[in-house]
Amino acid sequence: MISLFKVLLLGIIEGITEWLPVSSTGHLLLFDEFIPFEASAAFKKLFFIVIQLGAIMAVVVLFWHRLWPFRRPGTKGGTPVRADVMTMWGKVVLACVPGGVATVLLDDYVDAHLHTPVVIAAALIVYGLGFLLIERANQARKPRYETVADMPWSVALGIGLFQVLSLIPGTSRSGSTILGGLILGVSRVAAAEFTFFLAVPAMLGYSLIKLVKFGLHFTAGELGLLLFGMAVAFSVSLACIRFLMNYVKRHDFRVFGWYRIALGALVLLWFLVIK
């Protein structure tokens, strides 16, 4: 029962922090520092990554009409393939290439050396400052690209390069891509949407890598915990994605910058001074 309660909390944390630019992996690792998740080290690493598949399904459900590239048979007017959606997927695939290469080359090193509270805290603070600075700069200029369709292929690749930085715990995959989009002149709404779309292949691929490394040697209990965590993350993500899309239509990302700085400072205080 205690494990189920912890998985419930972890699913809630994942569902909220995966889409807000505050680092889901960082929050999960910090939660585990204070309330340890009793499992083998290998399964715990797998759990913290594969639980994200539940969050992915929320994107697929909410944006299905934007993601599915085929029209229904017999639909009048137009070809069976939606060219605009295929173009969008082309940009997503291009943006995934840098992160995919970096993950294959650096994932083991990151797991071994960078999953520490100090690294997480530093990344939280640095990216928090980044959001404050870029939002301040954006007050004096208008976005060059209002929608994902407006984005040229070069900008999609640029966002993909920023996604490489999300390998560092505490940076946040959504934080890296949203911040990159803002720097490259993409509107807040388009940057958030492209982040959601980019998450589908990126997180599927990363989860597959982790599953291959772990193997399919689940106990029935471990599989149950993983599926339960994914279900919770899916449910919470539905609400969180809707919230973020409504929020960025009227507000900027500075509140998340201040949150990251405050959380990073508290983590440093705890682990370097109090603990």
Side-chain angles (χ1 to χ4, degrees), residues 11-20 51-60 62-63 196 203 229-244:
I12 292 172
I13 293 170
E14 166 61 26
I16 294 174
T17 60
E18 182 60 49
W19 307 114
L20 303 182
I51 191 178
Q52 297 174 347
L53 293 176
I56 291 175
M57 290 308 300
V59 173
V60 174
L62 290 175
F63 292 95
F196 298 151
M203 292 162 63
M230 289 168 57
V232 174
F234 169 77
S235 301
V236 176
S237 290
L238 290 174
C240 187
I241 292 171
R242 290 191 181 100
F243 162 78
L244 184 60

PDB file of all heavy atoms in Angstrom, residues 11-20 51-60 62-63 196 203 229-244:
ATOM      1  N   GLY A  11       3.332   9.727 -10.018  1.00  0.00           N
ATOM      2  CA  GLY A  11       2.543   9.934 -11.226  1.00  0.00           C
ATOM      3  C   GLY A  11       1.999  11.353 -11.307  1.00  0.00           C
ATOM      4  O   GLY A  11       1.968  11.957 -12.387  1.00  0.00           O
ATOM      5  N   ILE A  12       1.580  11.882 -10.177  1.00  0.00           N
ATOM      6  CA  ILE A  12       1.080  13.260 -10.138  1.00  0.00           C
ATOM      7  C   ILE A  12       2.207  14.234 -10.457  1.00  0.00           C
ATOM      8  O   ILE A  12       2.033  15.177 -11.249  1.00  0.00           O
ATOM      9  CB  ILE A  12       0.468  13.571  -8.759  1.00  0.00           C
ATOM     10  CG1 ILE A  12      -0.815  12.749  -8.551  1.00  0.00           C
ATOM     11  CG2 ILE A  12       0.166  15.066  -8.624  1.00  0.00           C
ATOM     12  CD1 ILE A  12      -1.383  12.843  -7.155  1.00  0.00           C
ATOM     13  N   ILE A  13       3.371  14.017  -9.849  1.00  0.00           N
ATOM     14  CA  ILE A  13       4.520  14.889 -10.113  1.00  0.00           C
ATOM     15  C   ILE A  13       4.903  14.840 -11.582  1.00  0.00           C
ATOM     16  O   ILE A  13       5.154  15.875 -12.214  1.00  0.00           O
ATOM     17  CB  ILE A  13       5.714  14.475  -9.224  1.00  0.00           C
ATOM     18  CG1 ILE A  13       5.403  14.761  -7.758  1.00  0.00           C
ATOM     19  CG2 ILE A  13       6.988  15.201  -9.650  1.00  0.00           C
ATOM     20  CD1 ILE A  13       6.415  14.182  -6.794  1.00  0.00           C
ATOM     21  N   GLU A  14       4.964  13.629 -12.158  1.00  0.00           N
ATOM     22  CA  GLU A  14       5.298  13.484 -13.573  1.00  0.00           C
ATOM     23  C   GLU A  14       4.278  14.186 -14.459  1.00  0.00           C
ATOM     24  O   GLU A  14       4.641  14.903 -15.391  1.00  0.00           O
ATOM     25  CB  GLU A  14       5.369  11.995 -13.935  1.00  0.00           C
ATOM     26  CG  GLU A  14       5.376  11.695 -15.421  1.00  0.00           C
ATOM     27  CD  GLU A  14       6.551  12.278 -16.163  1.00  0.00           C
ATOM     28  OE1 GLU A  14       7.608  12.496 -15.531  1.00  0.00           O
ATOM     29  OE2 GLU A  14       6.434  12.513 -17.377  1.00  0.00           O
ATOM     30  N   GLY A  15       2.995  13.995 -14.185  1.00  0.00           N
ATOM     31  CA  GLY A  15       1.950  14.591 -15.016  1.00  0.00           C
ATOM     32  C   GLY A  15       1.969  16.105 -15.013  1.00  0.00           C
ATOM     33  O   GLY A  15       1.638  16.746 -16.015  1.00  0.00           O
ATOM     34  N   ILE A  16       2.393  16.691 -13.887  1.00  0.00           N
ATOM     35  CA  ILE A  16       2.463  18.154 -13.791  1.00  0.00           C
ATOM     36  C   ILE A  16       3.763  18.683 -14.392  1.00  0.00           C
ATOM     37  O   ILE A  16       3.757  19.587 -15.229  1.00  0.00           O
ATOM     38  CB  ILE A  16       2.336  18.602 -12.318  1.00  0.00           C
ATOM     39  CG1 ILE A  16       0.952  18.265 -11.783  1.00  0.00           C
ATOM     40  CG2 ILE A  16       2.617  20.103 -12.188  1.00  0.00           C
ATOM     41  CD1 ILE A  16       0.789  18.545 -10.298  1.00  0.00           C
ATOM     42  N   THR A  17       4.875  18.104 -13.977  1.00  0.00           N
ATOM     43  CA  THR A  17       6.171  18.706 -14.308  1.00  0.00           C
ATOM     44  C   THR A  17       6.706  18.310 -15.675  1.00  0.00           C
ATOM     45  O   THR A  17       7.651  18.940 -16.158  1.00  0.00           O
ATOM     46  CB  THR A  17       7.215  18.338 -13.237  1.00  0.00           C
ATOM     47  OG1 THR A  17       7.353  16.901 -13.173  1.00  0.00           O
ATOM     48  CG2 THR A  17       6.791  18.859 -11.872  1.00  0.00           C
ATOM     49  N   GLU A  18       6.137  17.280 -16.319  1.00  0.00           N
ATOM     50  CA  GLU A  18       6.608  16.919 -17.652  1.00  0.00           C
ATOM     51  C   GLU A  18       6.349  18.028 -18.646  1.00  0.00           C
ATOM     52  O   GLU A  18       7.143  18.269 -19.566  1.00  0.00           O
ATOM     53  CB  GLU A  18       5.925  15.635 -18.125  1.00  0.00           C
ATOM     54  CG  GLU A  18       6.389  15.153 -19.491  1.00  0.00           C
ATOM     55  CD  GLU A  18       7.880  14.863 -19.524  1.00  0.00           C
ATOM     56  OE1 GLU A  18       8.366  14.162 -18.627  1.00  0.00           O
ATOM     57  OE2 GLU A  18       8.562  15.369 -20.446  1.00  0.00           O
ATOM     58  N   TRP A  19       5.248  18.749 -18.490  1.00  0.00           N
ATOM     59  CA  TRP A  19       4.841  19.743 -19.488  1.00  0.00           C
ATOM     60  C   TRP A  19       5.160  21.165 -19.060  1.00  0.00           C
ATOM     61  O   TRP A  19       5.343  22.035 -19.910  1.00  0.00           O
ATOM     62  CB  TRP A  19       3.358  19.579 -19.790  1.00  0.00           C
ATOM     63  CG  TRP A  19       3.065  18.160 -20.153  1.00  0.00           C
ATOM     64  CD1 TRP A  19       2.304  17.258 -19.464  1.00  0.00           C
ATOM     65  CD2 TRP A  19       3.582  17.444 -21.288  1.00  0.00           C
ATOM     66  NE1 TRP A  19       2.321  16.037 -20.091  1.00  0.00           N
ATOM     67  CE2 TRP A  19       3.086  16.121 -21.206  1.00  0.00           C
ATOM     68  CE3 TRP A  19       4.411  17.790 -22.354  1.00  0.00           C
ATOM     69  CZ2 TRP A  19       3.400  15.157 -22.160  1.00  0.00           C
ATOM     70  CZ3 TRP A  19       4.734  16.835 -23.291  1.00  0.00           C
ATOM     71  CH2 TRP A  19       4.217  15.529 -23.191  1.00  0.00           C
ATOM     72  N   LEU A  20       5.215  21.422 -17.765  1.00  0.00           N
ATOM     73  CA  LEU A  20       5.668  22.728 -17.314  1.00  0.00           C
ATOM     74  C   LEU A  20       7.196  22.757 -17.412  1.00  0.00           C
ATOM     75  O   LEU A  20       7.850  21.742 -17.188  1.00  0.00           O
ATOM     76  CB  LEU A  20       5.223  22.985 -15.872  1.00  0.00           C
ATOM     77  CG  LEU A  20       3.713  22.906 -15.610  1.00  0.00           C
ATOM     78  CD1 LEU A  20       3.423  23.244 -14.151  1.00  0.00           C
ATOM     79  CD2 LEU A  20       2.929  23.817 -16.539  1.00  0.00           C
ATOM     80  N   ILE A  51       7.575   6.007 -17.049  1.00  0.00           N
ATOM     81  CA  ILE A  51       6.327   6.603 -16.573  1.00  0.00           C
ATOM     82  C   ILE A  51       5.890   7.756 -17.483  1.00  0.00           C
ATOM     83  O   ILE A  51       4.712   8.096 -17.574  1.00  0.00           O
ATOM     84  CB  ILE A  51       6.483   7.087 -15.108  1.00  0.00           C
ATOM     85  CG1 ILE A  51       5.112   7.451 -14.517  1.00  0.00           C
ATOM     86  CG2 ILE A  51       7.446   8.257 -15.032  1.00  0.00           C
ATOM     87  CD1 ILE A  51       5.192   7.881 -13.065  1.00  0.00           C
ATOM     88  N   GLN A  52       6.869   8.323 -18.215  1.00  0.00           N
ATOM     89  CA  GLN A  52       6.564   9.419 -19.126  1.00  0.00           C
ATOM     90  C   GLN A  52       5.668   8.984 -20.283  1.00  0.00           C
ATOM     91  O   GLN A  52       5.040   9.823 -20.927  1.00  0.00           O
ATOM     92  CB  GLN A  52       7.864  10.014 -19.674  1.00  0.00           C
ATOM     93  CG  GLN A  52       8.754  10.630 -18.608  1.00  0.00           C
ATOM     94  CD  GLN A  52      10.104  11.073 -19.146  1.00  0.00           C
ATOM     95  OE1 GLN A  52      10.487  10.714 -20.257  1.00  0.00           O
ATOM     96  NE2 GLN A  52      10.848  11.839 -18.364  1.00  0.00           N
ATOM     97  N   LEU A  53       5.609   7.688 -20.561  1.00  0.00           N
ATOM     98  CA  LEU A  53       4.740   7.216 -21.641  1.00  0.00           C
ATOM     99  C   LEU A  53       3.275   7.554 -21.361  1.00  0.00           C
ATOM    100  O   LEU A  53       2.501   7.788 -22.290  1.00  0.00           O
ATOM    101  CB  LEU A  53       4.909   5.706 -21.837  1.00  0.00           C
ATOM    102  CG  LEU A  53       6.268   5.243 -22.362  1.00  0.00           C
ATOM    103  CD1 LEU A  53       6.322   3.723 -22.423  1.00  0.00           C
ATOM    104  CD2 LEU A  53       6.550   5.841 -23.731  1.00  0.00           C
ATOM    105  N   GLY A  54       2.892   7.573 -20.102  1.00  0.00           N
ATOM    106  CA  GLY A  54       1.534   7.982 -19.762  1.00  0.00           C
ATOM    107  C   GLY A  54       1.279   9.424 -20.134  1.00  0.00           C
ATOM    108  O   GLY A  54       0.216   9.776 -20.659  1.00  0.00           O
ATOM    109  N   ALA A  55       2.285  10.273 -19.885  1.00  0.00           N
ATOM    110  CA  ALA A  55       2.160  11.685 -20.256  1.00  0.00           C
ATOM    111  C   ALA A  55       2.078  11.843 -21.769  1.00  0.00           C
ATOM    112  O   ALA A  55       1.335  12.695 -22.278  1.00  0.00           O
ATOM    113  CB  ALA A  55       3.342  12.474 -19.691  1.00  0.00           C
ATOM    114  N   ILE A  56       2.835  11.019 -22.509  1.00  0.00           N
ATOM    115  CA  ILE A  56       2.789  11.079 -23.972  1.00  0.00           C
ATOM    116  C   ILE A  56       1.389  10.810 -24.490  1.00  0.00           C
ATOM    117  O   ILE A  56       0.898  11.476 -25.404  1.00  0.00           O
ATOM    118  CB  ILE A  56       3.762  10.052 -24.584  1.00  0.00           C
ATOM    119  CG1 ILE A  56       5.203  10.447 -24.325  1.00  0.00           C
ATOM    120  CG2 ILE A  56       3.550   9.939 -26.090  1.00  0.00           C
ATOM    121  CD1 ILE A  56       6.189   9.410 -24.807  1.00  0.00           C
ATOM    122  N   MET A  57       0.731   9.814 -23.920  1.00  0.00           N
ATOM    123  CA  MET A  57      -0.605   9.456 -24.385  1.00  0.00           C
ATOM    124  C   MET A  57      -1.589  10.616 -24.220  1.00  0.00           C
ATOM    125  O   MET A  57      -2.529  10.758 -25.006  1.00  0.00           O
ATOM    126  CB  MET A  57      -1.107   8.222 -23.650  1.00  0.00           C
ATOM    127  CG  MET A  57      -0.386   6.934 -24.024  1.00  0.00           C
ATOM    128  SD  MET A  57      -0.348   6.664 -25.819  1.00  0.00           S
ATOM    129  CE  MET A  57      -2.113   6.605 -26.186  1.00  0.00           C
ATOM    130  N   ALA A  58      -1.364  11.458 -23.222  1.00  0.00           N
ATOM    131  CA  ALA A  58      -2.224  12.632 -23.052  1.00  0.00           C
ATOM    132  C   ALA A  58      -2.081  13.578 -24.235  1.00  0.00           C
ATOM    133  O   ALA A  58      -3.065  14.160 -24.718  1.00  0.00           O
ATOM    134  CB  ALA A  58      -1.881  13.350 -21.748  1.00  0.00           C
ATOM    135  N   VAL A  59      -0.839  13.745 -24.735  1.00  0.00           N
ATOM    136  CA  VAL A  59      -0.617  14.579 -25.918  1.00  0.00           C
ATOM    137  C   VAL A  59      -1.339  13.989 -27.125  1.00  0.00           C
ATOM    138  O   VAL A  59      -2.004  14.700 -27.891  1.00  0.00           O
ATOM    139  CB  VAL A  59       0.894  14.702 -26.221  1.00  0.00           C
ATOM    140  CG1 VAL A  59       1.119  15.414 -27.550  1.00  0.00           C
ATOM    141  CG2 VAL A  59       1.603  15.444 -25.105  1.00  0.00           C
ATOM    142  N   VAL A  60      -1.214  12.684 -27.309  1.00  0.00           N
ATOM    143  CA  VAL A  60      -1.848  12.025 -28.450  1.00  0.00           C
ATOM    144  C   VAL A  60      -3.358  12.209 -28.408  1.00  0.00           C
ATOM    145  O   VAL A  60      -3.992  12.497 -29.434  1.00  0.00           O
ATOM    146  CB  VAL A  60      -1.481  10.523 -28.476  1.00  0.00           C
ATOM    147  CG1 VAL A  60      -2.252   9.804 -29.578  1.00  0.00           C
ATOM    148  CG2 VAL A  60       0.019  10.345 -28.672  1.00  0.00           C
ATOM    149  N   LEU A  62      -5.165  14.593 -26.739  1.00  0.00           N
ATOM    150  CA  LEU A  62      -5.605  15.989 -26.845  1.00  0.00           C
ATOM    151  C   LEU A  62      -5.344  16.600 -28.219  1.00  0.00           C
ATOM    152  O   LEU A  62      -6.090  17.470 -28.669  1.00  0.00           O
ATOM    153  CB  LEU A  62      -4.898  16.832 -25.774  1.00  0.00           C
ATOM    154  CG  LEU A  62      -5.329  16.579 -24.325  1.00  0.00           C
ATOM    155  CD1 LEU A  62      -4.466  17.388 -23.372  1.00  0.00           C
ATOM    156  CD2 LEU A  62      -6.796  16.920 -24.124  1.00  0.00           C
ATOM    157  N   PHE A  63      -4.276  16.151 -28.895  1.00  0.00           N
ATOM    158  CA  PHE A  63      -3.896  16.749 -30.172  1.00  0.00           C
ATOM    159  C   PHE A  63      -4.048  15.777 -31.339  1.00  0.00           C
ATOM    160  O   PHE A  63      -3.414  15.954 -32.376  1.00  0.00           O
ATOM    161  CB  PHE A  63      -2.443  17.248 -30.109  1.00  0.00           C
ATOM    162  CG  PHE A  63      -2.228  18.416 -29.191  1.00  0.00           C
ATOM    163  CD1 PHE A  63      -1.818  18.219 -27.893  1.00  0.00           C
ATOM    164  CD2 PHE A  63      -2.448  19.715 -29.627  1.00  0.00           C
ATOM    165  CE1 PHE A  63      -1.606  19.294 -27.031  1.00  0.00           C
ATOM    166  CE2 PHE A  63      -2.247  20.793 -28.789  1.00  0.00           C
ATOM    167  CZ  PHE A  63      -1.826  20.580 -27.480  1.00  0.00           C
ATOM    168  N   PHE A 196       5.159  19.805 -27.225  1.00  0.00           N
ATOM    169  CA  PHE A 196       4.275  18.653 -27.037  1.00  0.00           C
ATOM    170  C   PHE A 196       4.451  17.642 -28.166  1.00  0.00           C
ATOM    171  O   PHE A 196       4.565  16.432 -27.920  1.00  0.00           O
ATOM    172  CB  PHE A 196       2.815  19.100 -26.981  1.00  0.00           C
ATOM    173  CG  PHE A 196       2.486  20.023 -25.839  1.00  0.00           C
ATOM    174  CD1 PHE A 196       1.467  20.959 -25.953  1.00  0.00           C
ATOM    175  CD2 PHE A 196       3.198  19.970 -24.653  1.00  0.00           C
ATOM    176  CE1 PHE A 196       1.154  21.806 -24.900  1.00  0.00           C
ATOM    177  CE2 PHE A 196       2.899  20.821 -23.594  1.00  0.00           C
ATOM    178  CZ  PHE A 196       1.875  21.739 -23.723  1.00  0.00           C
ATOM    179  N   MET A 203      10.308  10.971 -26.410  1.00  0.00           N
ATOM    180  CA  MET A 203      10.135  10.203 -25.188  1.00  0.00           C
ATOM    181  C   MET A 203       9.885   8.731 -25.471  1.00  0.00           C
ATOM    182  O   MET A 203      10.283   7.859 -24.691  1.00  0.00           O
ATOM    183  CB  MET A 203       9.007  10.820 -24.363  1.00  0.00           C
ATOM    184  CG  MET A 203       9.386  12.196 -23.807  1.00  0.00           C
ATOM    185  SD  MET A 203       7.985  13.204 -23.278  1.00  0.00           S
ATOM    186  CE  MET A 203       7.323  12.213 -21.952  1.00  0.00           C
ATOM    187  N   GLY A 229       1.528   3.980 -12.404  1.00  0.00           N
ATOM    188  CA  GLY A 229       2.154   5.298 -12.502  1.00  0.00           C
ATOM    189  C   GLY A 229       1.877   5.959 -13.835  1.00  0.00           C
ATOM    190  O   GLY A 229       1.622   7.173 -13.900  1.00  0.00           O
ATOM    191  N   MET A 230       1.906   5.191 -14.915  1.00  0.00           N
ATOM    192  CA  MET A 230       1.614   5.735 -16.239  1.00  0.00           C
ATOM    193  C   MET A 230       0.176   6.221 -16.320  1.00  0.00           C
ATOM    194  O   MET A 230      -0.105   7.270 -16.919  1.00  0.00           O
ATOM    195  CB  MET A 230       1.882   4.673 -17.305  1.00  0.00           C
ATOM    196  CG  MET A 230       3.355   4.369 -17.518  1.00  0.00           C
ATOM    197  SD  MET A 230       3.640   2.887 -18.521  1.00  0.00           S
ATOM    198  CE  MET A 230       2.750   3.314 -20.019  1.00  0.00           C
ATOM    199  N   ALA A 231      -0.757   5.473 -15.730  1.00  0.00           N
ATOM    200  CA  ALA A 231      -2.175   5.869 -15.760  1.00  0.00           C
ATOM    201  C   ALA A 231      -2.383   7.180 -15.011  1.00  0.00           C
ATOM    202  O   ALA A 231      -3.134   8.058 -15.452  1.00  0.00           O
ATOM    203  CB  ALA A 231      -3.039   4.763 -15.161  1.00  0.00           C
ATOM    204  N   VAL A 232      -1.722   7.323 -13.867  1.00  0.00           N
ATOM    205  CA  VAL A 232      -1.841   8.565 -13.097  1.00  0.00           C
ATOM    206  C   VAL A 232      -1.233   9.731 -13.873  1.00  0.00           C
ATOM    207  O   VAL A 232      -1.821  10.816 -13.965  1.00  0.00           O
ATOM    208  CB  VAL A 232      -1.153   8.419 -11.723  1.00  0.00           C
ATOM    209  CG1 VAL A 232      -1.159   9.758 -10.979  1.00  0.00           C
ATOM    210  CG2 VAL A 232      -1.846   7.359 -10.889  1.00  0.00           C
ATOM    211  N   ALA A 233      -0.043   9.509 -14.448  1.00  0.00           N
ATOM    212  CA  ALA A 233       0.612  10.562 -15.230  1.00  0.00           C
ATOM    213  C   ALA A 233      -0.258  10.983 -16.408  1.00  0.00           C
ATOM    214  O   ALA A 233      -0.338  12.174 -16.745  1.00  0.00           O
ATOM    215  CB  ALA A 233       1.977  10.077 -15.717  1.00  0.00           C
ATOM    216  N   PHE A 234      -0.912  10.027 -17.059  1.00  0.00           N
ATOM    217  CA  PHE A 234      -1.808  10.331 -18.178  1.00  0.00           C
ATOM    218  C   PHE A 234      -2.957  11.229 -17.726  1.00  0.00           C
ATOM    219  O   PHE A 234      -3.240  12.261 -18.355  1.00  0.00           O
ATOM    220  CB  PHE A 234      -2.361   9.029 -18.764  1.00  0.00           C
ATOM    221  CG  PHE A 234      -3.493   9.222 -19.733  1.00  0.00           C
ATOM    222  CD1 PHE A 234      -3.253   9.642 -21.031  1.00  0.00           C
ATOM    223  CD2 PHE A 234      -4.802   8.986 -19.342  1.00  0.00           C
ATOM    224  CE1 PHE A 234      -4.297   9.829 -21.923  1.00  0.00           C
ATOM    225  CE2 PHE A 234      -5.856   9.160 -20.225  1.00  0.00           C
ATOM    226  CZ  PHE A 234      -5.597   9.583 -21.525  1.00  0.00           C
ATOM    227  N   SER A 235      -3.610  10.864 -16.643  1.00  0.00           N
ATOM    228  CA  SER A 235      -4.774  11.625 -16.172  1.00  0.00           C
ATOM    229  C   SER A 235      -4.388  13.048 -15.777  1.00  0.00           C
ATOM    230  O   SER A 235      -5.072  14.013 -16.134  1.00  0.00           O
ATOM    231  CB  SER A 235      -5.419  10.904 -14.982  1.00  0.00           C
ATOM    232  OG  SER A 235      -5.826   9.600 -15.339  1.00  0.00           O
ATOM    233  N   VAL A 236      -3.292  13.179 -15.043  1.00  0.00           N
ATOM    234  CA  VAL A 236      -2.853  14.503 -14.596  1.00  0.00           C
ATOM    235  C   VAL A 236      -2.368  15.343 -15.777  1.00  0.00           C
ATOM    236  O   VAL A 236      -2.608  16.555 -15.834  1.00  0.00           O
ATOM    237  CB  VAL A 236      -1.759  14.366 -13.521  1.00  0.00           C
ATOM    238  CG1 VAL A 236      -1.218  15.736 -13.116  1.00  0.00           C
ATOM    239  CG2 VAL A 236      -2.303  13.639 -12.297  1.00  0.00           C
ATOM    240  N   SER A 237      -1.705  14.702 -16.735  1.00  0.00           N
ATOM    241  CA  SER A 237      -1.192  15.425 -17.915  1.00  0.00           C
ATOM    242  C   SER A 237      -2.311  16.045 -18.728  1.00  0.00           C
ATOM    243  O   SER A 237      -2.153  17.124 -19.302  1.00  0.00           O
ATOM    244  CB  SER A 237      -0.368  14.481 -18.804  1.00  0.00           C
ATOM    245  OG  SER A 237       0.845  14.138 -18.196  1.00  0.00           O
ATOM    246  N   LEU A 238      -3.456  15.368 -18.823  1.00  0.00           N
ATOM    247  CA  LEU A 238      -4.591  15.929 -19.559  1.00  0.00           C
ATOM    248  C   LEU A 238      -4.947  17.315 -19.040  1.00  0.00           C
ATOM    249  O   LEU A 238      -5.149  18.255 -19.814  1.00  0.00           O
ATOM    250  CB  LEU A 238      -5.800  14.997 -19.453  1.00  0.00           C
ATOM    251  CG  LEU A 238      -5.727  13.660 -20.193  1.00  0.00           C
ATOM    252  CD1 LEU A 238      -6.952  12.808 -19.852  1.00  0.00           C
ATOM    253  CD2 LEU A 238      -5.645  13.875 -21.701  1.00  0.00           C
ATOM    254  N   ALA A 239      -5.011  17.431 -17.711  1.00  0.00           N
ATOM    255  CA  ALA A 239      -5.359  18.719 -17.105  1.00  0.00           C
ATOM    256  C   ALA A 239      -4.210  19.716 -17.224  1.00  0.00           C
ATOM    257  O   ALA A 239      -4.432  20.902 -17.494  1.00  0.00           O
ATOM    258  CB  ALA A 239      -5.724  18.512 -15.637  1.00  0.00           C
ATOM    259  N   CYS A 240      -2.980  19.233 -17.059  1.00  0.00           N
ATOM    260  CA  CYS A 240      -1.827  20.138 -17.068  1.00  0.00           C
ATOM    261  C   CYS A 240      -1.599  20.748 -18.448  1.00  0.00           C
ATOM    262  O   CYS A 240      -1.294  21.937 -18.565  1.00  0.00           O
ATOM    263  CB  CYS A 240      -0.587  19.389 -16.604  1.00  0.00           C
ATOM    264  SG  CYS A 240       0.849  20.452 -16.378  1.00  0.00           S
ATOM    265  N   ILE A 241      -1.747  19.952 -19.497  1.00  0.00           N
ATOM    266  CA  ILE A 241      -1.545  20.467 -20.858  1.00  0.00           C
ATOM    267  C   ILE A 241      -2.588  21.525 -21.179  1.00  0.00           C
ATOM    268  O   ILE A 241      -2.274  22.578 -21.754  1.00  0.00           O
ATOM    269  CB  ILE A 241      -1.589  19.318 -21.874  1.00  0.00           C
ATOM    270  CG1 ILE A 241      -0.376  18.409 -21.698  1.00  0.00           C
ATOM    271  CG2 ILE A 241      -1.638  19.852 -23.308  1.00  0.00           C
ATOM    272  CD1 ILE A 241      -0.443  17.130 -22.501  1.00  0.00           C
ATOM    273  N   ARG A 242      -3.841  21.254 -20.819  1.00  0.00           N
ATOM    274  CA  ARG A 242      -4.904  22.251 -21.046  1.00  0.00           C
ATOM    275  C   ARG A 242      -4.584  23.543 -20.292  1.00  0.00           C
ATOM    276  O   ARG A 242      -4.743  24.649 -20.822  1.00  0.00           O
ATOM    277  CB  ARG A 242      -6.248  21.695 -20.589  1.00  0.00           C
ATOM    278  CG  ARG A 242      -6.805  20.565 -21.452  1.00  0.00           C
ATOM    279  CD  ARG A 242      -8.244  20.283 -21.076  1.00  0.00           C
ATOM    280  NE  ARG A 242      -8.828  19.192 -21.836  1.00  0.00           N
ATOM    281  CZ  ARG A 242      -8.968  17.947 -21.388  1.00  0.00           C
ATOM    282  NH1 ARG A 242      -8.563  17.645 -20.154  1.00  0.00           N
ATOM    283  NH2 ARG A 242      -9.510  17.010 -22.133  1.00  0.00           N
ATOM    284  N   PHE A 243      -4.125  23.404 -19.041  1.00  0.00           N
ATOM    285  CA  PHE A 243      -3.779  24.583 -18.246  1.00  0.00           C
ATOM    286  C   PHE A 243      -2.674  25.391 -18.916  1.00  0.00           C
ATOM    287  O   PHE A 243      -2.775  26.618 -19.053  1.00  0.00           O
ATOM    288  CB  PHE A 243      -3.323  24.168 -16.843  1.00  0.00           C
ATOM    289  CG  PHE A 243      -2.549  25.238 -16.121  1.00  0.00           C
ATOM    290  CD1 PHE A 243      -3.203  26.308 -15.541  1.00  0.00           C
ATOM    291  CD2 PHE A 243      -1.154  25.181 -16.045  1.00  0.00           C
ATOM    292  CE1 PHE A 243      -2.491  27.320 -14.892  1.00  0.00           C
ATOM    293  CE2 PHE A 243      -0.436  26.172 -15.401  1.00  0.00           C
ATOM    294  CZ  PHE A 243      -1.109  27.246 -14.819  1.00  0.00           C
ATOM    295  N   LEU A 244      -1.597  24.710 -19.343  1.00  0.00           N
ATOM    296  CA  LEU A 244      -0.458  25.433 -19.906  1.00  0.00           C
ATOM    297  C   LEU A 244      -0.831  26.146 -21.198  1.00  0.00           C
ATOM    298  O   LEU A 244      -0.432  27.301 -21.412  1.00  0.00           O
ATOM    299  CB  LEU A 244       0.705  24.471 -20.163  1.00  0.00           C
ATOM    300  CG  LEU A 244       1.999  25.120 -20.670  1.00  0.00           C
ATOM    301  CD1 LEU A 244       2.524  26.131 -19.655  1.00  0.00           C
ATOM    302  CD2 LEU A 244       3.062  24.070 -20.972  1.00  0.00           C
TER     303      LEU A 244
END
